[in-house]
């Protein structure tokens, strides 16, 4: 990949503001090691990422006392056991308050690292070196950190902002196609929820994105991060607006939980979930059905799923949606839209309409 040029933005959070750098080769060229104040560094990564990129990172940390923990890949590793091990690593290092945690990997490594950093001595610095498209455009920005419990995803966590996000787009060269496409679902989300111009740009550049054109990918990442950074700056702890980022996620999380075999990636279930949110909005006469079509068409061009999986059970999905963290006092609270680029929070959606929407989608799927 050629260097598409450095792009830089900031998440404006007063004393906790931080930069996001996007570009090819940044692991080697950006000055992120200068942000590390103390001597102690814990690096968390995973077995798919570390062989490619850990040497580059270690090379930048000469003179520091570094401990590295490399996890098997996958969401099940984002658990309290791994959290305890990483805390043990910091204890063994005799890490002081000026220690730093470095996350080198996708969202799993990033969420776990951030939570470790949030908890050690009530909060130390951490640096995000995201290596998946999804982590670059979404999970590495905004300070949501967590681990999963058997009872549900992200149930134990904290808001803890990183000191910097360094998105080296060259790392995407080894990312499997399917993971890249799953990340594109979250990119489409930013257009769908608040920026029709960006959505149209994505329509025009769908082929270039799939072909991993470096400049086009870098622009998509930058524009996504601009949206994320702006929303996080307005509403850091999700008291209001930040919930819009969950477009497609209540449906999506239900699909992920119902999918006992783990066939769907997060981004894939979000793609289906966004189409369901758009369909429901149209069925509630909030939005034109033609916008649902436009969304489904773009997602399908990006080789993302847009239909309910075979055998999906509307009643079960509705039950799972009732468990969503966004619900308040037993009301179904969903992110829907008034049309492309106009997502909105609907606090009290009629469950029968949601069930009917899921049943329609299941029926259409069955009839091909
Ligand atoms: P996400 O960022 O999508 O939330 P993960 O952290 O689970 O999710 O990463 C998705 C998968 O991609 C994992 O199997 C991870 O090991 C792998 N992976 C992450 N980054 C890279 C990369 N740059 N090259 C190859 N594989 C990667
Ligand atoms: Zn998501």
């Amino acid at each position: 990949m050629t260097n598409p040029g450095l792009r830089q933005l900031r998440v404006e959070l007063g004393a906790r503001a931080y930069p996001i750098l996007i570009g090819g080769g940044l692991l080697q060229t950006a000055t992120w090691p200068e942000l590390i104040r103390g001597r102690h560094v814990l690096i968390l990564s995973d077995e798919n990422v570390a062989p490619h990129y850990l040497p580059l990172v270690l090379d930048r940390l000469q003179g520091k006392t570094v401990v590295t923990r490399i996890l098997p890949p996958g969401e099940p590793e984002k658990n309290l056991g791994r959290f305890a091990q990483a805390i043990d690593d910091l204890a063994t290092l005799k890490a002081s308050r000026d220690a730093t945690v470095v996350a080198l990997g996708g969202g799993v490594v990033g969420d776990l690292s951030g939570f470790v950093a949030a908890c050690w001595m009530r909060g130390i610095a951490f640096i995000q070196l995201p290596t998946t498209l999804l982590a670059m455009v979404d999970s590495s920005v905004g300070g949501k950190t967590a681990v999963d419990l058997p009872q549900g995803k992200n149930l134990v966590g904290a808001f803890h902002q990183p000191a910097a996000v360094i998105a080296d787009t060259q790392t995407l060269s080894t990312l499997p196609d399917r993971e890249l496409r799953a990340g594109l679902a979250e990119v489409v989300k930013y257009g769908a929820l608040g920026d029709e111009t960006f959505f149209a740009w994505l329509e025009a550049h769908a082929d270039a994105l799939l072909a991993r054109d470096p400049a086009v990918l870098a622009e998509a990442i930058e524009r996504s991060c601009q949206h994320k950074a702006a929303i996080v700056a307005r509403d850091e702890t999700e008291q209001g607006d930040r919930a819009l980022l969950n477009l497609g996620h209540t449906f999506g999380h239900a699909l992920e939980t119902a999918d006992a075999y783990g066939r769907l990636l997060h981004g894939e279930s979000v793609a289906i979930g966004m189409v369901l949110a758009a369909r429901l909005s149209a069925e509630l006469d909030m939005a034109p059905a033609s916008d649902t079509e436009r969304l489904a068409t773009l997602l399908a061009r990006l080789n993302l799923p847009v239909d309910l999986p075979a055998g999906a059970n509307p009643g079960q999905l509705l039950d799972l949606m009732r468990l969503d963290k966004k619900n308040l006092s037993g009301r179904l609270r969903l992110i829907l839209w008034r049309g492309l680029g106009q997502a909105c929070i609907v606090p009290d959606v009629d469950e029968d309409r949601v069930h009917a929407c899921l049943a329609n989608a299941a029926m259409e799927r069955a009839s091909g």
Side-chain angles (χ1 to χ4, degrees):
M1 255 187 215
T2 53
N3 193 323
L6 176 67
R7 297 157 190 264
Q8 185 161 6
L9 41 146
R10 265 177 91 71
V11 185
E12 297 296 351
L13 286 169
R16 283 168 292 108
Y18 55 95
I20 304 171
L21 270 57
I22 302 153
L26 291 180
L27 288 181
Q28 285 145 290
T29 59
T31 56
W32 61 268
E34 290 173 10
L35 294 169
I36 298 176
R37 290 180 299 129
R39 197 157 53 86
H40 301 121
V41 180
L42 170 64
I43 305 175
L44 293 174
S45 189
D46 80 27
E47 286 166 3
N48 292 334
V49 175
H52 296 290
Y53 309 110
L54 184 59
L56 302 179
V57 170
L58 288 174
D59 197 48
R60 302 293 308 277
L61 297 175
Q62 287 172 27
K64 301 287 180 188
T65 306
V66 181
V67 166
T68 303
R69 179 169 286 280
I70 298 172
L71 308 173
E75 182 79 23
E77 300 301 321
K78 216 177 94 177
N79 61 40
L80 282 172
R82 293 298 184 192
F83 168 79
Q85 286 178 338
I87 291 291
D88 273 350
D89 292 337
L90 287 167
T92 307
L93 261 180
K94 297 192 168 53
S96 39
R97 295 221 51 189
D98 57 3
T100 299
V101 180
V102 173
L104 175 67
V108 168
V109 162
D111 284 9
L112 173 65
S113 303
F115 188 50
V116 169
C119 294
W120 181 253
M121 296 190 173
R122 300 202 184 90
I124 59 172
F126 92 110
I127 296 177
Q128 289 272 21
L129 305 177
T131 64
T132 65
L133 180 59
L134 192 139
M136 289 179 187
V137 301
D138 191 7
S139 56
S140 74
V141 177
K144 279 193 181 177
T145 76
V147 295
D148 303 334
L149 294 185
Q151 290 85 346
K153 282 178 72 173
N154 298 326
L155 285 181
V156 183
F159 284 99
H160 187 58
Q161 301 292 340
V165 179
I166 310 296
D168 181 342
T169 50
Q170 264 171 26
T171 63
L172 298 177
S173 64
T174 52
L175 189 69
D177 275 332
R178 187 173 170 205
E179 298 287 347
L180 186 93
R181 295 194 300 262
L184 288 173
E186 301 274 7
V187 172
V188 169
K189 182 187 77 179
Y190 293 108
L193 78 88
D195 187 348
E196 191 177 356
T197 308
F198 182 41
F199 190 92
W201 182 89
L202 291 169
E203 289 175 320
H205 293 86
D207 295 333
L209 288 165
L210 286 175
R212 301 177 183 234
D213 178 311
V216 174
L217 265 182
E219 178 156 356
I221 295 166
E222 181 184 24
R223 290 172 81 160
S224 299
C225 285
Q226 279 165 352
H227 282 290
K228 178 100 190 221
I231 292 178
V232 167
R234 280 207 302 275
D235 178 18
E236 184 180 7
T237 56
E238 200 164 317
Q239 307 302 309
D241 257 18
R242 185 166 177 170
L244 296 176
L245 294 172
N246 293 312
L247 178 64
H249 279 62
T250 303
F251 286 106
H253 286 151
L255 288 164
E256 272 180 283
T257 308
D259 173 31
Y261 300 102
R263 286 166 302 189
L264 286 173
L265 296 179
H266 173 73
E268 292 169 342
S269 46
V270 168
I272 301 169
M274 287 192 290
V275 175
L276 288 167
R279 285 182 69 127
L280 178 58
S281 305
E283 288 175 14
L284 294 172
D285 289 324
M286 290 171 53
S290 55
D291 282 0
T292 310
E293 278 312 305
R294 210 173 143 193
L295 175 63
T297 301
L298 176 58
L299 292 168
R301 275 184 66 200
L302 296 171
N303 286 318
L304 285 159
V306 293
D307 295 320
L308 276 183
N313 175 334
Q316 182 203 12
L317 292 173
L318 182 59
D319 280 344
L320 290 167
M321 290 173 73
R322 290 198 188 99
L323 299 176
D324 191 86
K325 284 202 286 300
K326 286 181 290 302
N327 295 333
L328 301 172
S329 332
R331 305 279 191 184
L332 212 47
R333 183 165 175 263
L334 295 179
I335 313 305
L336 301 179
W337 73 5
R338 300 189 195 291
L340 200 50
Q342 299 171 65
C344 54
I345 302 171
V346 184
D348 194 356
V349 185
D350 183 348
E351 292 192 357
D352 292 342
R353 303 298 296 268
V354 179
H355 189 275
C357 175
L358 289 165
N360 287 341
M363 214 154 60
E364 263 174 46
R365 192 199 187 285
S367 64

